[in-house]
Amino acid sequence: MTDLAVFEQTGALRFERQLTPDQIDSLRAVADERIGSRPGARLDGEARLTDVLAVPGAVGGVAAGLTSSRARAVRAVLFDKTEDANWVVAWHQDRTLPVRTRIEVEGFGPWSTKDGVLHVAPPFAILARMVTLRVHLDRVDDANAPLRVALGTHRLGRVPADQADRVAASAAQRVCHAEPGDIWAYRTPILHTSDRAGRPTRRRVLQVDYADFDLPGGLEWRPL
């Protein structure tokens, strides 16, 4: 089975050693500057990310291989779990998209604002076409809260929040260990969770959502 076939079936695939040491150091500098004492930071207007996120950059190239050469980054968030920011994330699907302006389009809603950025929940078919890449800037082992994913759940449609635990428990699960420079790719609506770190150490991750299509009805992706 090809890597692409595995990805479509399971919804998760690891790409090892995709970034050079210089690229890792550069992204770590961005993370340390933008995150500060917070658990994470949404990114826009960050020129230092342009080359690595674009096709055929190190990250954009992975996205293009899983979608098409039209892939573009539509959201970027940095996370870090430390002793002071050591949170738990319950089983859930990512369900909203950042957009430029509010336009009422059938099937899109509800609307929300996160960190001053307009978001909307799209039809599931939109999420199902997207990929999410987690670019690891530090080693991730069992002690510092690796992401866990429920394989194949990206193909189940929208899972009600009160059923996420049960659905995840019925699926095969994967613990997503990583080394610096690794990229984990996911189908965006896959069920995922993360525990509190048992031994908090740096766990800087750049998470980027990619799409290779335009939104309908005049809606536009919010530019990074």
Side-chain angles (χ1 to χ4, degrees), residues 41 43 72 74 174 178 190:
L43 300 179
R72 65 183 184 275
V74 297
R174 180 161 298 162
I190 197 169

Side-chain angles (χ1 to χ4, degrees), residues 125-143:
I126 296 289
L127 296 172
R129 296 175 63 186
M130 298 174 61
V131 296
T132 297
L133 303 187
R134 285 174 63 90
V135 184
H136 289 273
L137 309 180
D138 298 291
R139 187 171 188 268
V140 180
D141 58 21
D142 287 331

Side-chain angles (χ1 to χ4, degrees), residues 91-92 148-151 153 156 159 163-173 191-193:
W91 285 106
H92 70 286
R148 286 185 289 135
V149 296
L151 300 179
T153 54
L156 300 180
V159 177
Q163 297 180 28
D165 286 356
R166 178 184 60 80
V167 172
S170 68
Q173 296 181 14
L191 281 168
H192 57 286
T193 185

Side-chain angles (χ1 to χ4, degrees), residues 64-123:
L66 297 172
T67 55
S68 76
S69 59
R70 295 187 64 226
R72 65 183 184 275
V74 297
R75 174 168 48 197
V77 186
L78 281 162
F79 297 108
D80 191 10
K81 281 195 177 180
T82 65
E83 187 171 352
D84 295 327
N86 189 11
W87 69 98
V88 176
V89 179
W91 285 106
H92 70 286
Q93 293 172 307
D94 291 338
R95 294 186 174 183
T96 63
L97 308 173
V99 294
R100 185 190 293 271
T101 56
R102 179 165 180 162
I103 299 174
E104 299 299 336
V105 176
E106 184 177 357
F108 284 76
W111 294 81
S112 60
T113 301
K114 303 177 183 180
D115 292 340
V117 176
L118 185 65
H119 284 71
V120 66

Side-chain angles (χ1 to χ4, degrees), residues 6 11 19 21 27 39 46 63-64 106 154-155 158 173 180 188 216 221:
V6 170
L19 273 64
L27 292 177
E46 181 52 73
E106 184 177 357
H154 63 297
R155 295 183 280 113
R158 195 178 299 274
Q173 296 181 14
T188 297
W221 298 105

